[in-house]
């Protein structure tokens, strides 16, 4: 059976090799930084990410969190999906088994899922499927970037902090806010949170 698929694209549902994924993201970050004419110092300032961490990422090392990748993508003026290089989808439909994973096992010991729901890399909206287990907490590295965000909770109870103010959301609850407001998230459990988040990515 294996020979029947020779020369074809790998199954989109096959999990990517973590080391290859990290190397691929590093290649994208370095290429985009040079395309924008930015030094490591300038990108570090724009993204609020340390020079050392950016250098590690560009060399395909380290274990960057999804938060870090969001900060870098906006500093580089691209959707976060652009950092995870892959074939551009032409169909408006994204099948459940074809979602692009947007995490490099960078969320500590927690099994957090981030998957791209929107098909392309150049649209005006970027939608992400999130599954955050009990204990999920990004308070140590708040997000701050241009744009606007909308989130809706499908399962569990999720705390969304906007500039330090806690908004606790349950199934069916939604929230909208400017991404320039420092924001972070927490799941105090006991149930895994499932949510859809939509954001306006930077213009290419």
């Amino acid at each position: 059976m294996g020979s029947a698929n020779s020369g074809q694209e790998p199954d989109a549902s096959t999990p990517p090799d973590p080391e290859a994924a990290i190397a691929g993201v590093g290649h994208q970050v370095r290429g985009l930084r040079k395309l924008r004419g930015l030094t490591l110092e300038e990108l570090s300032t724009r993204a609020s990410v340390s020079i050392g961490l950016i250098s590690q990422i560009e060399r395909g090392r380290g274990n960057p969190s999804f938060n870090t990748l969001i900060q870098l993508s906006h500093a580089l003026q691209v959707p976060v999906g652009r950092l995870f290089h892959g074939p551009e989808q032409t169909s408006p439909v994204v099948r459940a088994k074809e979602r692009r994973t947007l995490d490099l096992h960078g969320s500590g010991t927690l099994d957090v899922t981030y998957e791209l729901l929107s098909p392309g890399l150049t649209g005006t909206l970027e939608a992400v499927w999130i599954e955050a287990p009990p204990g999920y907490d990004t308070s140590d590295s708040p997000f701050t970037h241009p744009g606007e965000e909308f989130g809706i909770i499908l399962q569990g109870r999720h705390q969304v902090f906007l500039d330090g103010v806690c908004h606790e959301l349950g199934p069916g609850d939604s929230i909208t806010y400017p991404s320039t407001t420092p924001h972070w998230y927490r799941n105090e459990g006991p149930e895994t949170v499932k949510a859809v988040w939509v954001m306006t990515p930077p213009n290419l």
Side-chain angles (χ1 to χ4, degrees):
M1 294 296 292
S3 60
N5 292 326
S6 178
Q8 295 182 2
E9 291 288 336
D11 190 330
S13 64
T14 302
D17 175 68
E19 291 187 4
I22 292 173
V25 166
H27 178 77
Q28 290 294 310
V29 170
R30 184 188 307 109
L32 289 166
R33 176 175 64 80
K34 291 184 176 180
L35 182 65
R36 300 286 186 264
L38 298 173
T39 64
L40 282 171
E41 291 81 0
E42 288 169 335
L43 179 56
S44 172
T45 299
R46 289 190 181 191
S48 298
V49 175
S50 72
I51 294 175
L53 180 54
I54 296 174
S55 178
Q56 280 190 332
I57 293 170
E58 289 193 355
R59 287 180 286 146
R61 300 177 182 175
N63 196 15
S65 69
F66 183 66
N67 188 349
T68 296
L69 298 178
I70 285 281
Q71 298 292 100
L72 286 173
S73 69
H74 281 263
L76 292 167
Q77 298 182 299
V78 297
V80 67
R82 175 71 179 273
L83 301 184
F84 295 78
H85 188 63
E88 177 75 3
Q89 287 186 234
T90 57
S91 171
V93 177
V94 177
R95 303 294 179 188
K97 293 184 178 180
E98 298 174 351
R99 296 174 187 165
R100 183 174 303 183
T101 300
L102 298 181
D103 192 29
L104 301 174
H105 57 78
S107 304
T109 59
L110 297 177
D111 186 16
V112 183
T113 297
Y114 303 96
E115 295 177 339
L116 189 64
L117 297 175
S118 40
L121 304 180
T122 59
T124 56
L125 292 175
E126 190 168 44
V128 179
W129 174 271
I130 299 172
E131 295 184 21
Y136 175 72
D137 188 339
T138 66
S139 59
D140 61 340
S141 52
F143 294 75
T144 307
H145 50 85
E148 187 175 8
E149 298 187 32
F150 165 86
I152 183 167
I153 307 303
L154 306 179
Q155 173 184 295
R157 301 199 66 81
H158 204 38
Q159 293 178 335
V160 179
F161 291 82
L162 301 180
D163 205 13
V165 178
C166 178
H167 303 271
E168 185 160 339
L169 308 178
D173 293 341
S174 59
I175 189 169
T176 304
Y177 51 91
S179 305
T180 51
T181 300
H183 51 286
W184 62 94
Y185 314 100
R186 179 182 298 154
N187 177 11
E188 293 188 335
E191 187 177 13
T192 293
V193 166
K194 293 184 179 181
V196 172
W197 235 254
V198 181
M199 64 192 79
T200 54
N203 294 324
L204 295 176

